[in-house]
Amino acid sequence: MAQPGRAHGAGQQAYSNGPVQNPLMHSSHVSDGQRYNSPGLYSHPIPTKPPLHPSPGQYNYGGSQNVSQLSNYQGPGQTLNRAPVGPISAAPLQHTGSSPQMPPPSQKSAAISSAGSFLPGTNPPALSNWQYGQTTVSQPAGSQTSHFAHVTGAAPTQPSASSPSSLGNTNPPTSYQYAASPGVPPLPNSYMKPGSAPPPVNQPLPSTYPPARPPLGPPPSGGPPLGRPTAAMTSPPNSSVSQALLNSATNQEGDATSATGDGSLVQNSYDAIEGGGFMASTHPSPASQNLKMGRSVGYSYPSLPPGYQNTSPGVPGMQPPPMQYPDGPQSFHQPALGTNHLAASMGSLSLQPEGVRLVNLLQERNILPTAPLQAPIPNLHEDIQKLNCNPELFRCTLTNIPQTQALLNKAKLPLGLLLHPFKDLSQLPVVTSSTIVRCRSCRTYINPFVSFLDQRRWKCNLCYRVNDVPEEFMYNPVTRVYGEPHKRPEVQNATIEFMAPSEYMLRPPQPPVYLFVFDVSHNAIETGYLDTVCQSLLDNLDLLPGNTRTKIGFITFDSTIHFYSLQEGLSQPQMLIVSDIEDVFIPMPENLLVNLNENKELIQDLLRTLPQMFTKSLETQSALGPALQAAFKLMSPTGGRISVFQTQLPSVGVGALKSREEPNQRASAKDIHLTPSTDFYKKLALDCSGQQVAVDLFLLSGQYSDLASLGCISRYSAGSIYYYQSYHHKHNPVQVEKLQKELKRYLTRKIGFEAVMRIRCTKGLSIHTFHGNFFVRSTDLLSLPNVNPDAGYAVQMSVEESLTDMQVVSFQSALLYTSSKGERRIRVHTMCLPVVTTLNDIYLGADVQAITGLLANMAVDRSVSASLSDARDALVNAVIDSLSAYRSSVLSVQQPGLMAPFSLRLFPLYVLALLKQKAFQTGTTARLDERIFTMCQVKNQPLIYLMLMTHPSLYRIDNLTDEGALNINDRTIPQPPILQLSVEKLSRDGAYLMDAGSVMFMWIGKNCGQNFINQVFGVPNYASIPQNMTHLPELDTAESTRILAFISWLREQRPFFPILYIIRDESPLKPSFLQNMIEDRTESALSYYEFLLHIQQQVNK
Ligand SMILES: [Zn+2]
C-alpha cells in the first residue's frame, strides 16, 4: 500500500504500522484468561462524518447534571423517626442460628426491650441535636411510599433543598457594615443588584490615593501606573485589628490555632453559606430563575448570568477618582494586571518557539513527548502567572479564552474547567481571620487577581464591583505591617484555605460518622472479602480521620438486615435481626452508631468475629435496597459516610434488579444497558444528599451486578465507586492485595463532611454543565455530603456576553466543608487566564489533555443519553471539526497533509485512545459492568489519572540508568523516556513497563538479556520466569533496585493500587497488553495512521 505520508514529505520516516501489522501482533492469543478476551469483530467502524452533528462546543449530553435538573429535586421530606405505631409491632426480631458468637436470643430480647425505642407506644428514640424534632406524621401501617413521601407537615430543623428560600436571601444586619455614612453619597456604581445594599463607600479618609495601576478589566484605563506616592498615609495601625493567623506549614487539619472567635467582627453578610447556604443561591435574582431553563439545548443559555443582570462593563462610574499615593513604604507593588498584563504579542511569550509551529500529522512520526506532557502555561505577565493556580488543581481547556461565543463556536473546541479541588497538598496556606473578605456583589473571595484601587478599595475580578478593604485586612499577619492589604496571604496565594466563622454553619459541625454495610450472603462469604475488609478496618481503626466525636456502626445483610448493638457495658456485640425488609425500621438507634474511642474493644471484637459469623450461611438472596434504606435512616440525624460492600445483583426488597446483560451482544455498540433500570438508587442518593450522607460502593462481583443502576447511589450522593471484578480470595489473589491497599487509602485519606462547592467565573462567562459525583442542589451549588482528595470534577462553559475590553478573566472554586476535626473550612482556588480575539490565539492556548478529559466526560453523558455510537461519532467529529476550522480559518496557505497547531498535535491520538478505551470501545467482549465502571472513572477521576488510563505510558526498563533520575528521600528513581504505544517500539531483546493507571503490564521479550532476567527475576533464563507473576522479587542488585523504585514511585502517586502483571510473550494476558497499543491496528479498531487518513479525508472535504 502506498504511504501517503511519504508522498508529501520526502525523507520523512514512513509509518509501518498502518494496515500492515507488526508481526508481534500476530502472536497467538492462547486463551481468554479469566477476564480478558480476544477482541471480536469490529462492528462499528469509524463513521464518515454525517451532515448534521454537534460541534464540540454544542454537545447536548442529557445525562450530565445541568442546572435544569434542580427542579426535579424535592427535599427529603420523609420523617426520620418512624412513628411508633403500626408495622413496628409486627416486625419480628429474630435470632438466627447463623451467629454462634452472638448471645442467646433471650439476652437479646432483654437488651432490646430495655432500649424500648422501637416498641409500639413506648419511648420514641432519643433525638440528637439535629434530628427532626417532630414525629407527628404517623405513617399508616404498611405504607411503602413513606420513605420518599414529601411530608410537608414535618418542619425540618435542618436545611432541606425543598426550602431554598428559607435562608437564602436574608442578609443579617451586619451586612450593612460597609454602607455609606449618612450624608456621604455613594459612588456611582451600577454594578449592583437591584435592591441590594448601597455600594461600599469609604469613610472619608484624610487623603485619597491615585490608582496604583490601571484597574483590571473594563473599562480599560489609560496607561501604566502613575508616579510615586506623594501623600502621607495617615491612618495609624489600628490596635484593635484582630490578629490574623497564617499557617502555611502543612495542610494538617486542626493545626491552625484559632485566633478568632469574635463573631461580632465578622463583616460579611453571607446571605447564605458560601454565598447561599447549603441550599440557597448566591444570586437571588429574577434572572436566576431563567437560568434553570434551556440549558440542555446547544447554546440556548440565558443571556444574563445571575447577579449581573444590571451591569455593564463600561460604566463611567467605575473609573477611580483621581487620587494620590500614600507616601512611605506602603506603596503598592501588586503586579500590573491592567492593560500591560499581556505579553506584547501572543506567541512571543511563555510559548516555546515550537509552540507556534505547524505540524503535519501525516508526516511527523514522533509527536509523543518522551516526558509527561505538561499543561500549557497561560500567556500572562510572569508576575501574574507566578501567582496562578497550579494546573493540577484547576485547568481550563483553553488557556486563551475567546472573547465571544461566536469565536468559540468557530474554534470548534469545548470550553470547560477540570478541577481537583480537594487534592492532598504538601503546602497549603491556612488563614484564620474573623473577616473573610469577599465581594459584596458576587461573593467572590478576595484573591491574587483582584485590583486595588488604593489601600482602601479593591475591585472584584469577577464582577468588577469596587469593595472596601475591611480594617482588619489592612494588617498583614505575615509581615506584621499595617497598610499592606495587597500583600496579605489571601492576595498572594491562588490556593488558600480559610477557617470559617460561624456564619458558614447552618448547624454545629457534624462529627465524623462512618457506617459500614456488608453483604453477608452465601455468595459474599464465598469470595472471602469480609476477612480482608474486617482486617483492614482493624489495622486502620486508629487512623480513621476523626476526633473524640468519631462514631462508627455496622450493618450486615442477606435476605434480612442485621444490626449490631455496641452499647457501652456489653460484654460482646449484640446482633439484632430485622426480617421485615418491606418496611425497615431501626431497632435501638442510639446503640448502633457508637463513639469509636469509647467502644473500641467492642468494635474490635465485632470485626474479629464478623467474618466467621456467616460461614455456614446458605442464604443467597440480597436485600441491598432495604439495607441501604436502613443505613440512611440510621445516618440521617448526623450525616456521614456509608461504605457498602456488595457482591451480587440485589434480588429482594426495594431496589431488586434483574440481569440485563446479554453476553452475545457485548460486541455491539447498540442495545447495551448504560442507563439505570430503576430510579430507586438515585432517589435514595438524593435523600442521602439532603441529609449530608454519602454512600461509597465497593462492588466485588464475578457476575453482572448492574453497576449502571447501583452506581447511582454513589454518583448522586457524592460517593466513590470501587469495582473488583471477579474478586475471590483464592482464585484471584492479586485482587486481595489491591483491595487491601485501596482500603488503606480509603479508610485513612482526608475526608470533608457536609460540603458544598461553587465555581464562579468572570462576568460574561457562564457555567452550564457539571460532571462528577455530586448533586446540583441549587442553580450552581454542588452538594457534596462527603468530599475526598481523590475526586475530580469538570464543568462546561459558554461565553454568555462578549468579553469586550477584558484582558483577563478569572475562575474561582470555593469548597466549604467540615473537617474530620470538626472545623468548618473553605478551600479556595482562583485561576486567571487571558482573553483573546483571534482563532489562532485560541488554538495556540489549547490544552489538549484538558480538552480530551472534558470530551471524555461529555462522551459518557452522550453514551447514556443517546448511544455509544453517537458518543463515538461526537469524539471523532471533535477532531475533524477543530482541524477543519483551523485549516479553513487560520491557515493562510493550504498545504497538503493534515495540519494541526502544535498545541493540538496529540488531539487525534488522544481521541483515538478514547475510542479504544474500555468505556467507549466497540468490538469488545468487555463486560457491561466493566464498561460502566470505566465510565464512572472518567467522570470522577482527576485529569491526570484519566489521561493515564486513556493513553498509558510505555517505558523500556531493561536498560534503566540513573541519568536524569529523581532523588526522593535517598531513593533514586529512574526516569526512562516515554515510548509511543506501538509494537514497533518493542524489541524482543528488551523488557517494557506499561503503566495504564489502574493496571501495569511488564512485558518481557523472548530474547531479553539473561543478565537482566537474573538480576531482576532471580531466575536463570526467560523460560523460567513463572507464568501469572504479579510481583517482582526484591533482589540485592542494581537493576532490581532501580525497577522496584520506579514501580513503587509510580504507584505511590495515585490513590488506587495498580496491579502489576508480568507477561511473557506467550502469556494469555498479552492481548490486554496489546490492546493498549493505541497506535496499532487491532482486529476491531483503526491504527493511528489509518485514523489520521480518515480525519484528513474529512477535513479536506
Ligand atoms: Zn464580585
Side-chain angles (χ1 to χ4, degrees), residues 308 439-444 460-465 467:
Y308 303 129
C439 172
R440 284 186 35 136
S441 274
C442 70
R443 314 305 296 141
T444 291
C460 176
N461 52 330
L462 270 67
C463 75
Y464 304 117
R465 174 175 179 136
N467 293 276

Side-chain angles (χ1 to χ4, degrees), residues 526-538:
E526 267 296 290
T527 68
Y529 90 90
L530 204 52
D531 297 270
T532 307
V533 175
C534 288
Q535 190 56 50
S536 291
L537 260 167
L538 279 168

Side-chain angles (χ1 to χ4, degrees), residues 39-60:
L41 287 175
Y42 185 43
S43 62
H44 184 72
I46 290 174
T48 53
K49 189 178 163 189
L52 284 175
H53 57 80
S55 71
Q58 288 176 319
Y59 291 132
N60 172 18

Side-chain angles (χ1 to χ4, degrees), residues 86-110:
I88 293 175
S89 57
L93 279 166
Q94 293 185 349
H95 174 238
T96 70
S98 63
S99 55
Q101 310 293 327
M102 289 288 118
S106 59
Q107 203 176 331
K108 270 176 213 156
S109 302

Side-chain angles (χ1 to χ4, degrees), residues 552-694:
I552 195 167
F554 301 89
I555 291 176
T556 58
F557 67 96
D558 39 38
S559 62
T560 58
I561 301 171
H562 327 128
F563 299 90
Y564 297 86
S565 169
L566 299 162
Q567 191 186 1
E568 247 180 308
L570 288 179
S571 58
Q572 63 185 128
Q574 287 186 333
M575 182 162 75
L576 315 166
I577 298 177
V578 172
S579 62
D580 183 4
I581 58 169
E582 297 302 311
D583 192 12
V584 179
F585 74 101
I586 311 292
M588 313 171 66
E590 67 274 26
N591 294 333
L592 303 179
L593 282 172
V594 298
N595 186 289
L596 174 59
N597 292 323
E598 293 163 12
N599 301 276
K600 194 170 284 175
E601 282 182 18
L602 269 187
I603 292 162
Q604 288 169 332
D605 197 19
L606 177 63
L607 287 171
R608 276 189 283 265
T609 53
L610 210 47
Q612 282 79 48
M613 281 168 54
F614 301 93
T615 46
K616 295 195 178 71
S617 168
L618 296 175
E619 183 55 68
T620 57
Q621 303 278 39
S622 169
L624 174 67
L628 285 172
Q629 285 182 330
F632 165 67
K633 287 187 185 182
L634 196 53
M635 295 289 278
S636 288
T638 52
R641 180 176 80 188
I642 297 173
S643 313
V644 57
F645 293 77
Q646 173 73 6
T647 67
Q648 60 176 316
L649 204 61
S651 55
V652 290
V654 286
L657 300 169
K658 290 197 164 55
S659 180
R660 297 188 289 166
E661 186 183 49
E662 292 164 53
N664 53 0
Q665 286 185 6
R666 279 179 190 164
S668 163
K670 292 173 188 164
D671 304 325
I672 55 173
H673 298 285
L674 302 174
T675 50
S677 60
T678 168
D679 63 359
F680 170 79
Y681 294 97
K682 178 177 179 180
K683 280 182 168 173
L684 185 54
L686 297 189
D687 286 343
C688 286
S689 176
Q691 300 297 332
Q692 305 298 348
V693 175

